Amino acid sequence: MRLDQAQSDDTGAVFFALADPTRRHLIEALGDGSSVTPSALAAELPLTRQALTKHLGVLGEAGLVTKRREGRETRYTLQPERLTEAAAWIAVVGGAWEERLGRLEALLQERRSGS
C-alpha cells in the first residue's frame, strides 16, 4: 500500500506508519509526552538525519506526531489520540472475531456432546 492510498483512511494511515519498526521506535521515544528534536532522536538510532526526517514526515502525515518551531529548532511531539483510535478499531474487529470464535466453540462442544 502506498502512503497516498493509506491517507484516504485515517486508521489505515496510522497502521501504514506503524508498519515500520523504525517509526515504532520513534513513537516509543516520544511516548513520555515530551517534545524532542530530531538531533536527540537521531542519537538513539543509526539513521541519517535525512532518513529520520522522512520517518517523522510519515508519522506526521498519519497524525501521530506534530512539529513546532522553537527558535532554530524543530521539536516533535507524539499525538497519542491517533494511537487510541487505531487501538479502538482493533478492539472492535477483535471483539467481532472473539464472538465468532465463541459461537464456533459452542457449536463444536454441542456436536461433541451430541455424538
Side-chain angles (χ1 to χ4, degrees):
M1 174 185 282
R2 293 189 343 258
L3 181 58
D4 57 343
Q5 291 172 323
Q7 288 176 327
S8 65
D9 170 17
D10 290 342
T11 303
V14 170
F15 288 124
F16 176 84
L18 294 176
D20 184 275
T22 299
R23 292 192 287 267
R24 289 192 305 270
H25 181 80
L26 290 171
I27 292 292
E28 289 174 16
L30 293 166
D32 67 359
S34 62
S35 63
V36 181
T37 64
S39 298
L41 291 169
E44 298 181 26
L45 295 167
L47 291 175
T48 65
R49 186 168 167 103
Q50 182 180 12
L52 179 68
T53 301
K54 285 184 180 185
H55 284 295
L56 288 168
V58 171
L59 292 171
E61 288 176 23
L64 291 167
V65 298
T66 56
K67 67 178 181 177
R68 75 177 192 296
R69 297 284 295 174
E70 281 186 10
R72 295 180 353 158
E73 291 184 329
T74 301
R75 302 186 75 79
Y76 289 84
T77 306
L78 177 65
Q79 299 301 305
E81 305 82 31
R82 300 298 308 213
L83 293 170
T84 302
E85 292 168 13
W89 181 87
I90 289 172
V92 168
V93 172
W97 275 104
E98 287 296 322
E99 182 182 325
R100 289 179 188 123
L101 291 172
R103 288 193 315 256
L104 178 61
E105 182 178 4
L107 178 64
L108 290 172
Q109 286 179 356
E110 180 181 306
R111 288 188 178 182
R112 282 185 200 135
S113 63
S115 302

